[in-house]
Amino acid sequence: MNTKLSPLYAGILLAFAPAAWSGVTTEYLQASNQITNDNDVSYFVAPTSVSNEGNLIAFVSEDTSNAPSATGYGIYNRVTGQVSTPVQSIDGTVVKVDSPTISGNGRYLAFYSGTDNLIANDPVGRDLFVHDLQTGNVEQVSLMGSFQLNVNGNMPSISMSDTGRFIAFSMRMQNPDGTGYNHAVVRDIELAQTRLYGNGTPTISGDGTVVATYRSGERTITILDRASHTAIEQITLQTLPSDASVERVTLSFDGRYVAFNTQNRLYLYDRNSGETREIVKRNPNGDRVAGVELVTGQFSDDGRFLAVQQIDSFGTASAATSHNALVYNLESGKLAQVSDNAQ
């Protein structure tokens, strides 16, 4: 059976790694025209998540031909070839969403929305919701009393366990003077319980057992047991360059591997061995390729492969920047490119 890897860049590409590493097959999906039915409209399409079997792909789309641009979303079904927008308001209109994140089993869609009529008694402001794609039920997740979503700038990332039961995200504790800081939060959809896991931004393993938290600009990643709510390991960057700080973290399905970015570099930490290795793109002579930034994506469920995004211009990740999708083999240490200068 093929193993799912995350779509990675502006323009939809889905990469599959065969059970025996002998290469990678790629599939390019042109969903823009299916959304608009208008070949004259220029759309920037960015995939955000993919289900385990690779059949459902959630993405955002932006009309770049208008100013200001209009942003939408969709779920692309590779089996039927159809694009759907299942989230609707009480009056039946399609709702604009941000950061659509689909669970591994393809049942749940978590997203941010500022629409105030998505559910009954929907409070004004941007909130985090989860939509059951089977039943159509919509639930507000960001219910934390004095805590609120940080609505300044981009919405914080959403991380879900494969079954969709656990949703990890960050919320801000706002002080009366306007200051505050972000807390790592995990919502248990089944028990309707929300718990704090310290300060920072969280990500959760696919099996829902491990939570990793980090604070952007700092040099520590905290690993916590989700059930007991206790810290079990601190990953520090003592052996890395002094200017290195954590910027993004992803966990393997069982929480053994921790991939993280520091500035323009990508590292992989093995919690079993305690080893940290840098993932580097090299030329045929074995030398590091200059001017390349590697960004962590999703792990395959068996923990053998890591999807990686390559950005060829530091700090300018936009529709005009050259992006490529790569796959890192944790067993062989090889990094394979699976796209050709995709935009």
Side-chain angles (χ1 to χ4, degrees):
M1 179 180 292
N2 287 336
T3 301
K4 170 266 298 177
L5 292 176
S6 172
L8 290 167
Y9 54 85
I12 294 181
L13 175 143
L14 189 64
F16 291 90
W21 179 259
S22 58
V24 176
T25 61
T26 61
E27 177 182 347
Y28 294 87
L29 308 177
Q30 300 298 326
S32 300
N33 293 342
Q34 298 184 47
I35 302 170
T36 64
N37 295 317
D38 185 351
N39 291 326
D40 295 327
V41 175
S42 176
Y43 263 76
F44 170 73
V45 180
T48 55
S49 60
V50 61
S51 63
N52 280 347
E53 296 301 322
N55 292 333
L56 298 177
I57 303 170
F59 62 91
V60 292
S61 60
E62 180 176 346
D63 180 357
T64 57
S65 62
N66 293 328
S69 61
T71 302
Y73 86 102
I75 298 178
Y76 182 86
N77 188 316
R78 292 181 54 249
V79 177
T80 66
Q82 299 299 309
V83 173
S84 63
T85 52
V87 182
Q88 296 184 354
S89 64
I90 295 175
D91 61 12
T93 58
V94 175
V95 172
K96 175 184 174 181
V97 309
D98 295 313
S99 304
T101 303
I102 198 164
S103 60
N105 63 4
R107 175 166 179 173
Y108 297 98
L109 180 73
F111 59 91
Y112 296 107
S113 179
T115 302
D116 59 5
N117 64 342
L118 188 57
I119 59 175
N121 301 315
D122 189 354
V124 176
R126 192 173 297 273
D127 297 292
L128 174 61
F129 299 88
V130 62
H131 178 89
D132 188 329
L133 297 174
Q134 290 185 8
T135 67
N137 182 61
V138 178
E139 175 185 342
Q140 183 181 349
V141 175
S142 52
L143 294 170
M144 286 293 291
S146 61
F147 290 81
Q148 64 182 27
L149 289 174
N150 184 4
V151 297
N152 297 320
N154 295 328
M155 288 291 96
S157 61
I158 304 170
S159 176
M160 299 181 73
S161 63
D162 269 22
T163 63
R165 174 177 175 178
F166 301 105
I167 303 178
F169 58 103
S170 61
M171 296 192 73
R172 184 174 180 83
M173 178 64 176
Q174 193 76 22
N175 298 322
D177 63 359
T179 62
Y181 47 89
N182 290 336
H183 284 267
V185 176
V186 176
R187 174 73 171 179
D188 185 334
I189 298 299
E190 183 175 306
L191 299 181
Q193 295 178 349
T194 304
R195 302 187 70 181
L196 300 179
Y197 287 79
N199 297 338
T201 300
T203 185
I204 193 165
S205 60
D207 62 6
T209 62
V210 177
V211 176
T213 65
Y214 67 98
R215 299 178 68 175
S216 182
E218 297 192 357
R219 294 173 58 84
T220 302
I221 302 170
T222 302
I223 306 297
L224 303 102
D225 178 79
R226 195 267 318 154
S228 66
H229 198 249
T230 57
I232 54 180
E233 187 173 356
Q234 291 275 354
I235 304 171
T236 60
L237 310 187
Q238 293 178 348
T239 61
L240 303 186
S242 59
D243 62 346
S245 60
V246 181
E247 295 181 350
R248 179 184 171 93
V249 176
T250 54
L251 291 171
S252 62
F253 179 83
D254 59 0
R256 171 181 173 177
Y257 295 104
V258 184
F260 60 94
N261 281 103
T262 68
Q263 277 74 38
N264 302 317
R265 296 177 182 251
L266 173 61
Y267 295 90
L268 180 72
Y269 176 75
D270 184 343
R271 294 181 53 225
N272 284 3
S273 67
E275 174 194 8
T276 299
R277 72 178 90 161
E278 184 181 0
I279 299 176
V280 178
K281 186 171 186 180
R282 301 185 182 278
N283 61 27
N285 295 326
D287 300 322
R288 177 193 292 268
V289 177
V292 169
E293 179 182 6
L294 301 181
V295 180
T296 179
Q298 289 178 244
F299 284 90
S300 60
D301 283 350
D302 58 9
R304 296 176 60 198
F305 304 102
L306 174 67
V308 177
Q309 178 187 17
Q310 172 186 322
I311 303 175
D312 290 337
S313 298
F314 295 151
T316 57
S318 66
T321 302
S322 178
H323 294 246
N324 274 302
L326 303 94
V327 176
Y328 179 73
N329 186 326
L330 276 69
E331 295 177 349
S332 68
K334 294 182 178 180
L335 188 65
Q337 184 169 312
V338 296
S339 65
D340 183 16
N341 292 324
Q343 297 293 326

